[in-house]
Amino acid sequence: MIHETLDKKTPPLFTPEVVYGKHEKICDLCVITFSYKVIEWAMQYLDHEQAAEIRCCNGDHPIYLTEWKGKKIAFYMTLISAPGAAACLEEALCLTGCREFVVFGSCGTLDSQQTDGKMIVPTWAYRDEGLSYHYIPPSDYIEMKDWKKVAAFFEKEKIPYVTGRTWTTDGIYRETAGKAKRLRNDGCIAVEMELAGMQAVCAYHGLQLKAFLFASDCLGAEEWHNELLGSEREWDMQVKCFLLALDLAASEGT
């Protein structure tokens, strides 16, 4: 089976260091966003400097450095999808030396009664993508190992949240009613495209990954419907979550 071809016995043919060279560590902490609106906001309102650049044939992704609550924190906008986000994570590790990452973004809810008005803290990610199988042995789920730290932070800050499994898919237009029902019954409360892959990369390299989501659309029992996706309300929420992610990155114990 293709998902059972993990090779941990031989080295990779090339690494980010081959492309970028070796770099000095610039900080320990890094926040990852998927939203260009967040980057636009940060360019206007945050003191920052460009520290590095993830190069890509369809557009480069600068890595910026800021200071937040006394901590140096890098941040960048990643590519969407598990392979894209994983490649960016590998290259950010090479370029910054960061070992602790916070990622946030919008997702589809599978259970709006649980998620409405709350942050979503993923506990396990269903591996319905291909990237993670190149990093860790096959399994249905991968644990989001630092989820309890995220939950503890929200608890301390009195931010409403819910914990539960998430469904990582690489087929956005193949999120069928049958799959949604099966995974909902299996305890999944959200669907997204990156977390299983990103967590697998972090597990492979021994990195920390703190993740939280908010619902922007709903894969209901009968049909899909949009709540925030693509609207100004979603963009505002992305910025609010960015500030929350900076606080989480800078919080004691990260």
Side-chain angles (χ1 to χ4, degrees), residues 163-221:
T163 61
R165 295 179 173 188
T166 187
W167 166 22
T168 304
T169 179
D170 57 12
I172 187 171
Y173 293 117
R174 293 298 300 155
E175 296 171 346
T176 65
K179 281 186 178 181
K181 180 180 180 180
R182 176 171 62 84
L183 289 163
R184 189 183 298 111
N185 291 339
D186 203 29
C188 289
I189 61 174
V191 58
E192 37 70 38
M193 298 186 70
E194 294 84 18
L195 291 188
M198 296 180 78
Q199 181 60 60
V201 173
C202 288
Y204 179 83
H205 288 292
L207 310 175
Q208 289 189 28
L209 181 68
K210 300 179 179 70
F212 65 93
L213 307 167
F214 67 92
S216 60
D217 59 319
C218 179
L219 280 72

Side-chain angles (χ1 to χ4, degrees), residues 89-102:
L89 184 52
E90 287 267 19
E91 295 179 23
L93 172 61
C94 167
L95 292 166
T96 67
C98 290
R99 308 292 298 180
E100 301 178 27
F101 292 83
V102 176

Side-chain angles (χ1 to χ4, degrees), residues 3-70:
H3 283 174
E4 297 176 352
T5 58
L6 176 68
D7 177 11
K8 296 182 74 172
K9 295 180 180 179
T10 64
L13 293 173
F14 72 103
T15 66
E17 286 75 15
V18 173
V19 178
Y20 294 98
K22 293 186 177 181
H23 289 257
E24 295 293 326
K25 183 176 185 177
I26 62 172
C27 64
D28 293 311
L29 309 168
C30 184
V31 171
I32 303 171
T33 180
F34 297 92
S35 173
Y36 76 94
K37 289 290 185 178
V38 166
I39 299 300
E40 288 181 349
W41 182 91
M43 296 303 93
Q44 185 172 356
Y45 295 107
L46 276 189
D47 290 333
H48 65 277
E49 60 177 298
Q50 183 172 329
E53 191 169 62
I54 297 169
R55 298 194 294 268
C56 183
C57 63
N58 59 6
D60 295 335
H61 291 248
I63 299 176
Y64 300 102
L65 191 62
T66 191
E67 186 168 320
W68 188 263
K69 296 187 175 180

